[in-house]
Structures are given as structure tokens and as C-alpha cells.
Short mmCIF file of all heavy atoms in Angstrom, two decimals:
data_model
loop_
_atom_site.label_atom_id
_atom_site.label_comp_id
_atom_site.label_asym_id
_atom_site.label_seq_id
_atom_site.Cartn_x
_atom_site.Cartn_y
_atom_site.Cartn_z
N HIS W 15 101.70 238.83 -18.24
CA HIS W 15 102.82 237.89 -18.14
C HIS W 15 103.07 237.60 -16.67
O HIS W 15 103.19 236.42 -16.30
CB HIS W 15 104.07 238.52 -18.72
CG HIS W 15 103.96 238.89 -20.17
ND1 HIS W 15 105.01 239.39 -20.90
CD2 HIS W 15 102.89 238.90 -21.03
CE1 HIS W 15 104.62 239.66 -22.13
NE2 HIS W 15 103.32 239.35 -22.26
N ALA W 16 103.21 238.65 -15.85
CA ALA W 16 103.34 238.57 -14.41
C ALA W 16 104.51 237.65 -14.00
O ALA W 16 104.53 237.17 -12.86
CB ALA W 16 102.05 238.10 -13.75
N ASN W 17 105.50 237.48 -14.86
CA ASN W 17 106.54 236.54 -14.60
C ASN W 17 107.66 236.77 -15.66
O ASN W 17 107.38 236.60 -16.87
CB ASN W 17 106.01 235.10 -14.72
CG ASN W 17 107.03 234.04 -14.36
OD1 ASN W 17 108.20 234.22 -14.46
ND2 ASN W 17 106.51 232.85 -14.03
N PRO W 18 108.86 237.18 -15.27
CA PRO W 18 109.93 237.39 -16.23
C PRO W 18 110.20 236.15 -17.10
O PRO W 18 110.61 236.28 -18.25
CB PRO W 18 111.14 237.76 -15.35
CG PRO W 18 110.54 238.37 -14.15
CD PRO W 18 109.29 237.58 -13.89
N ALA W 19 110.03 234.97 -16.53
CA ALA W 19 110.27 233.74 -17.32
C ALA W 19 109.26 233.64 -18.46
O ALA W 19 109.61 233.20 -19.57
CB ALA W 19 110.17 232.51 -16.42
N VAL W 20 108.02 234.02 -18.22
CA VAL W 20 107.03 234.05 -19.27
C VAL W 20 107.31 235.14 -20.29
O VAL W 20 107.22 234.90 -21.52
CB VAL W 20 105.62 234.24 -18.65
CG1 VAL W 20 104.55 234.40 -19.76
CG2 VAL W 20 105.24 233.05 -17.76
N THR W 21 107.67 236.30 -19.84
CA THR W 21 108.02 237.40 -20.73
C THR W 21 109.17 236.99 -21.65
O THR W 21 109.13 237.23 -22.88
CB THR W 21 108.43 238.66 -19.94
OG1 THR W 21 107.29 239.08 -19.16
CG2 THR W 21 108.82 239.80 -20.88
N LEU W 22 110.20 236.39 -21.09
CA LEU W 22 111.35 235.94 -21.90
C LEU W 22 110.95 234.90 -22.92
O LEU W 22 111.34 234.96 -24.09
CB LEU W 22 112.43 235.36 -20.97
CG LEU W 22 113.71 234.86 -21.61
CD1 LEU W 22 114.40 235.96 -22.40
CD2 LEU W 22 114.65 234.30 -20.57
N ALA W 23 110.10 233.93 -22.52
CA ALA W 23 109.67 232.92 -23.44
C ALA W 23 108.82 233.49 -24.55
O ALA W 23 108.93 233.07 -25.71
CB ALA W 23 108.90 231.82 -22.67
N LEU W 24 107.95 234.43 -24.22
CA LEU W 24 107.13 235.04 -25.25
C LEU W 24 107.94 235.83 -26.26
O LEU W 24 107.62 235.90 -27.43
CB LEU W 24 106.08 235.93 -24.60
CG LEU W 24 104.97 235.20 -23.80
CD1 LEU W 24 104.09 236.22 -23.08
CD2 LEU W 24 104.10 234.37 -24.73
N ALA W 25 109.01 236.47 -25.76
CA ALA W 25 109.89 237.21 -26.68
C ALA W 25 110.66 236.25 -27.59
O ALA W 25 110.84 236.52 -28.79
CB ALA W 25 110.87 238.07 -25.89
N LEU W 26 111.08 235.13 -27.06
CA LEU W 26 111.82 234.15 -27.83
C LEU W 26 110.97 233.44 -28.87
O LEU W 26 111.42 233.20 -30.03
CB LEU W 26 112.45 233.10 -26.91
CG LEU W 26 113.73 233.49 -26.20
CD1 LEU W 26 114.11 232.46 -25.15
CD2 LEU W 26 114.89 233.61 -27.21
N TYR W 27 109.72 233.11 -28.52
CA TYR W 27 108.95 232.17 -29.33
C TYR W 27 107.64 232.76 -29.87
O TYR W 27 107.07 232.15 -30.80
CB TYR W 27 108.62 230.92 -28.53
CG TYR W 27 109.82 230.24 -27.97
CD1 TYR W 27 110.02 230.10 -26.57
CD2 TYR W 27 110.81 229.71 -28.79
CE1 TYR W 27 111.10 229.48 -26.04
CE2 TYR W 27 111.91 229.06 -28.25
CZ TYR W 27 112.07 228.95 -26.87
OH TYR W 27 113.16 228.33 -26.37
N ARG W 28 107.14 233.84 -29.29
CA ARG W 28 105.81 234.28 -29.70
C ARG W 28 105.79 235.73 -30.20
O ARG W 28 104.71 236.33 -30.35
CB ARG W 28 104.86 234.14 -28.54
CG ARG W 28 104.57 232.66 -28.16
CD ARG W 28 103.80 231.96 -29.26
NE ARG W 28 103.57 230.55 -29.01
CZ ARG W 28 102.53 230.06 -28.33
NH1 ARG W 28 101.62 230.85 -27.81
NH2 ARG W 28 102.40 228.74 -28.19
N GLY W 29 106.94 236.29 -30.48
CA GLY W 29 106.97 237.61 -31.14
C GLY W 29 106.78 238.79 -30.22
O GLY W 29 106.60 239.91 -30.70
N PHE W 30 106.85 238.60 -28.93
CA PHE W 30 106.77 239.76 -28.01
C PHE W 30 108.02 240.62 -28.22
O PHE W 30 109.12 240.12 -28.37
CB PHE W 30 106.68 239.27 -26.58
CG PHE W 30 106.53 240.39 -25.60
CD1 PHE W 30 105.35 241.08 -25.48
CD2 PHE W 30 107.59 240.74 -24.74
CE1 PHE W 30 105.20 242.11 -24.57
CE2 PHE W 30 107.44 241.78 -23.81
CZ PHE W 30 106.26 242.44 -23.72
N SER W 31 107.81 241.94 -28.19
CA SER W 31 108.89 242.88 -28.48
C SER W 31 110.02 242.78 -27.46
O SER W 31 109.80 242.95 -26.26
CB SER W 31 108.33 244.30 -28.48
OG SER W 31 109.39 245.24 -28.59
N TRP W 32 111.25 242.56 -27.96
CA TRP W 32 112.42 242.53 -27.08
C TRP W 32 112.65 243.83 -26.40
O TRP W 32 113.19 243.91 -25.29
CB TRP W 32 113.62 242.12 -27.88
CG TRP W 32 113.73 240.63 -28.10
CD1 TRP W 32 113.44 239.95 -29.24
CD2 TRP W 32 114.12 239.65 -27.14
NE1 TRP W 32 113.66 238.61 -29.09
CE2 TRP W 32 114.06 238.40 -27.81
CE3 TRP W 32 114.54 239.67 -25.83
CZ2 TRP W 32 114.37 237.19 -27.16
CZ3 TRP W 32 114.87 238.51 -25.18
CH2 TRP W 32 114.78 237.26 -25.84
N LYS W 33 112.25 244.95 -27.04
CA LYS W 33 112.42 246.26 -26.44
C LYS W 33 111.65 246.42 -25.14
O LYS W 33 112.01 247.19 -24.25
CB LYS W 33 112.01 247.34 -27.43
CG LYS W 33 112.89 247.46 -28.66
CD LYS W 33 112.41 248.58 -29.57
CE LYS W 33 113.30 248.71 -30.81
NZ LYS W 33 112.86 249.78 -31.71
N LYS W 34 110.54 245.66 -25.05
CA LYS W 34 109.71 245.78 -23.84
C LYS W 34 110.14 244.86 -22.70
O LYS W 34 109.71 245.02 -21.56
CB LYS W 34 108.23 245.43 -24.20
CG LYS W 34 107.58 246.45 -25.11
CD LYS W 34 106.10 246.07 -25.32
CE LYS W 34 105.37 247.08 -26.16
NZ LYS W 34 103.94 246.74 -26.35
N VAL W 35 110.98 243.89 -23.00
CA VAL W 35 111.32 242.89 -21.99
C VAL W 35 111.96 243.46 -20.71
O VAL W 35 111.46 243.12 -19.60
CB VAL W 35 112.24 241.80 -22.63
CG1 VAL W 35 112.82 240.88 -21.54
CG2 VAL W 35 111.49 240.96 -23.65
N PRO W 36 112.97 244.30 -20.79
CA PRO W 36 113.56 244.82 -19.55
C PRO W 36 112.55 245.59 -18.72
O PRO W 36 112.49 245.42 -17.48
CB PRO W 36 114.71 245.72 -20.04
CG PRO W 36 115.05 245.20 -21.40
CD PRO W 36 113.73 244.75 -22.00
N ALA W 37 111.72 246.44 -19.36
CA ALA W 37 110.75 247.22 -18.61
C ALA W 37 109.67 246.35 -17.98
O ALA W 37 109.27 246.56 -16.84
CB ALA W 37 110.12 248.25 -19.53
N TYR W 38 109.22 245.34 -18.75
CA TYR W 38 108.22 244.42 -18.18
C TYR W 38 108.77 243.71 -16.94
O TYR W 38 108.11 243.59 -15.90
CB TYR W 38 107.84 243.37 -19.23
CG TYR W 38 106.52 243.67 -19.94
CD1 TYR W 38 106.32 244.88 -20.61
CD2 TYR W 38 105.48 242.74 -19.95
CE1 TYR W 38 105.16 245.12 -21.30
CE2 TYR W 38 104.32 242.98 -20.64
CZ TYR W 38 104.13 244.19 -21.29
OH TYR W 38 102.96 244.43 -21.95
N CYS W 39 110.03 243.24 -17.04
CA CYS W 39 110.60 242.52 -15.94
C CYS W 39 110.80 243.44 -14.71
O CYS W 39 110.53 243.01 -13.58
CB CYS W 39 111.93 241.92 -16.33
SG CYS W 39 111.82 240.57 -17.57
N MET W 40 111.21 244.67 -14.93
CA MET W 40 111.35 245.60 -13.80
C MET W 40 110.02 245.89 -13.18
O MET W 40 109.90 245.95 -11.95
CB MET W 40 112.00 246.89 -14.30
CG MET W 40 113.47 246.77 -14.60
SD MET W 40 114.43 246.25 -13.14
CE MET W 40 114.04 247.54 -11.99
N ALA W 41 108.98 246.08 -14.02
CA ALA W 41 107.65 246.33 -13.48
C ALA W 41 107.17 245.15 -12.65
O ALA W 41 106.55 245.31 -11.58
CB ALA W 41 106.67 246.59 -14.60
N GLN W 42 107.44 243.93 -13.09
CA GLN W 42 107.04 242.76 -12.34
C GLN W 42 107.75 242.69 -10.98
O GLN W 42 107.13 242.33 -9.97
CB GLN W 42 107.34 241.52 -13.18
CG GLN W 42 106.45 241.40 -14.41
CD GLN W 42 107.07 240.58 -15.52
OE1 GLN W 42 108.15 240.03 -15.41
NE2 GLN W 42 106.39 240.53 -16.69
N ILE W 43 109.02 243.03 -10.95
CA ILE W 43 109.76 243.01 -9.69
C ILE W 43 109.24 244.09 -8.75
O ILE W 43 109.06 243.85 -7.55
CB ILE W 43 111.27 243.22 -9.94
CG1 ILE W 43 111.83 241.98 -10.70
CG2 ILE W 43 112.04 243.42 -8.66
CD1 ILE W 43 113.25 242.18 -11.24
N VAL W 44 108.94 245.28 -9.30
CA VAL W 44 108.31 246.32 -8.49
C VAL W 44 107.00 245.85 -7.91
O VAL W 44 106.68 246.11 -6.74
CB VAL W 44 108.15 247.63 -9.29
CG1 VAL W 44 107.29 248.62 -8.57
CG2 VAL W 44 109.50 248.24 -9.64
N GLY W 45 106.18 245.18 -8.73
CA GLY W 45 104.95 244.60 -8.24
C GLY W 45 105.16 243.63 -7.09
O GLY W 45 104.39 243.62 -6.13
N GLY W 46 106.23 242.83 -7.19
CA GLY W 46 106.56 241.91 -6.13
C GLY W 46 106.90 242.64 -4.84
O GLY W 46 106.49 242.20 -3.72
N ILE W 47 107.60 243.74 -4.94
CA ILE W 47 107.91 244.56 -3.76
C ILE W 47 106.66 245.12 -3.16
O ILE W 47 106.43 245.05 -1.94
CB ILE W 47 108.90 245.71 -4.13
CG1 ILE W 47 110.25 245.11 -4.58
CG2 ILE W 47 109.08 246.67 -2.96
CD1 ILE W 47 111.19 246.15 -5.21
N CYS W 48 105.79 245.68 -4.00
CA CYS W 48 104.54 246.29 -3.51
C CYS W 48 103.65 245.22 -2.84
O CYS W 48 103.04 245.50 -1.79
CB CYS W 48 103.80 246.95 -4.68
SG CYS W 48 104.63 248.39 -5.36
N GLY W 49 103.55 244.07 -3.44
CA GLY W 49 102.77 243.00 -2.84
C GLY W 49 103.29 242.60 -1.46
O GLY W 49 102.50 242.39 -0.52
N ALA W 50 104.63 242.54 -1.35
CA ALA W 50 105.23 242.16 -0.08
C ALA W 50 104.96 243.24 0.98
O ALA W 50 104.73 242.91 2.16
CB ALA W 50 106.72 241.97 -0.26
N VAL W 51 104.95 244.51 0.57
CA VAL W 51 104.63 245.59 1.52
C VAL W 51 103.22 245.42 2.06
O VAL W 51 102.97 245.56 3.27
CB VAL W 51 104.78 246.96 0.82
CG1 VAL W 51 104.20 248.07 1.70
CG2 VAL W 51 106.22 247.26 0.50
N LEU W 52 102.28 245.04 1.17
CA LEU W 52 100.89 244.85 1.63
C LEU W 52 100.80 243.68 2.63
O LEU W 52 100.07 243.78 3.61
CB LEU W 52 100.01 244.60 0.43
CG LEU W 52 99.85 245.75 -0.58
CD1 LEU W 52 99.01 245.33 -1.78
CD2 LEU W 52 99.25 246.96 0.11
N VAL W 53 101.50 242.60 2.33
CA VAL W 53 101.51 241.45 3.23
C VAL W 53 102.09 241.86 4.59
O VAL W 53 101.59 241.47 5.66
CB VAL W 53 102.26 240.28 2.61
CG1 VAL W 53 102.39 239.09 3.63
CG2 VAL W 53 101.61 239.81 1.35
N TYR W 54 103.17 242.62 4.55
CA TYR W 54 103.78 243.07 5.79
C TYR W 54 102.86 243.95 6.60
O TYR W 54 102.78 243.85 7.83
CB TYR W 54 105.07 243.84 5.44
CG TYR W 54 105.90 244.21 6.68
CD1 TYR W 54 106.69 243.28 7.31
CD2 TYR W 54 105.87 245.50 7.15
CE1 TYR W 54 107.46 243.63 8.40
CE2 TYR W 54 106.61 245.90 8.26
CZ TYR W 54 107.40 244.92 8.89
OH TYR W 54 108.12 245.29 10.01
N CYS W 55 102.09 244.78 5.91
CA CYS W 55 101.11 245.63 6.62
C CYS W 55 100.10 244.76 7.36
O CYS W 55 99.66 245.10 8.48
CB CYS W 55 100.39 246.54 5.65
SG CYS W 55 101.41 247.87 4.98
N LEU W 56 99.72 243.66 6.80
CA LEU W 56 98.76 242.75 7.44
C LEU W 56 99.41 241.96 8.56
O LEU W 56 98.82 241.85 9.67
CB LEU W 56 98.22 241.75 6.40
CG LEU W 56 97.23 242.24 5.35
CD1 LEU W 56 96.85 241.08 4.44
CD2 LEU W 56 95.97 242.83 6.01
N TYR W 57 100.58 241.45 8.34
CA TYR W 57 101.12 240.38 9.24
C TYR W 57 102.30 240.80 10.10
O TYR W 57 102.82 239.95 10.83
CB TYR W 57 101.51 239.17 8.39
CG TYR W 57 100.31 238.35 7.98
CD1 TYR W 57 99.74 238.49 6.72
CD2 TYR W 57 99.73 237.42 8.84
CE1 TYR W 57 98.63 237.73 6.33
CE2 TYR W 57 98.64 236.64 8.47
CZ TYR W 57 98.10 236.84 7.23
OH TYR W 57 97.00 236.08 6.87
N SER W 58 102.77 242.04 10.03
CA SER W 58 103.95 242.39 10.83
C SER W 58 103.79 242.11 12.32
O SER W 58 104.77 241.60 12.95
CB SER W 58 104.32 243.86 10.59
OG SER W 58 103.25 244.74 10.92
N PRO W 59 102.63 242.37 12.95
CA PRO W 59 102.52 242.01 14.37
C PRO W 59 102.64 240.49 14.61
O PRO W 59 103.24 240.07 15.64
CB PRO W 59 101.13 242.51 14.79
CG PRO W 59 100.79 243.53 13.75
CD PRO W 59 101.42 243.04 12.49
N VAL W 60 102.11 239.71 13.71
CA VAL W 60 102.15 238.26 13.85
C VAL W 60 103.61 237.76 13.62
O VAL W 60 104.06 236.84 14.30
CB VAL W 60 101.18 237.56 12.87
CG1 VAL W 60 101.09 236.07 13.17
CG2 VAL W 60 99.82 238.20 12.95
N ILE W 61 104.30 238.37 12.65
CA ILE W 61 105.69 238.00 12.44
C ILE W 61 106.53 238.30 13.69
O ILE W 61 107.32 237.48 14.14
CB ILE W 61 106.25 238.78 11.24
CG1 ILE W 61 105.58 238.32 9.93
CG2 ILE W 61 107.79 238.60 11.12
CD1 ILE W 61 105.90 239.14 8.73
#
């Protein structure tokens, strides 16, 4: 899904389990934090 908007739409229209929605969304946000950390490791001197 990689996107809370996609997860929400799949739960509404495609039978994705509503019980999984909050955890999926939190995992996606955590992934966003981790990705940003990696970018910062690369570019902090340039920033």
C-alpha cells in the first residue's frame, strides 16, 4: 500500500481488514521517518 490513502481506500472498497488499517498507517509513517533519516545521512553536509 505504502500510502495511508491507499490503505483507507482498500478498506472502504476492496475488503481490506479495518483492523489492520491503523497499524498499516503507523508502519507507513515510521517508514517515512526511516527514509528521511537515510536521506539526512547522505545530505546533511550539503544541507
Side-chain angles (χ1 to χ4, degrees):
H15 301 185
N17 184 337
V20 173
T21 298
L22 180 59
L24 290 173
L26 279 169
Y27 305 117
R28 294 292 176 89
F30 183 72
S31 173
W32 280 103
K33 293 181 180 179
K34 293 183 177 182
V35 169
Y38 261 57
C39 292
M40 286 301 301
Q42 292 154 4
I43 293 169
V44 169
I47 295 171
C48 293
V51 170
L52 295 176
V53 175
Y54 186 79
C55 289
L56 287 179
Y57 282 98
S58 58
V60 188
I61 292 170

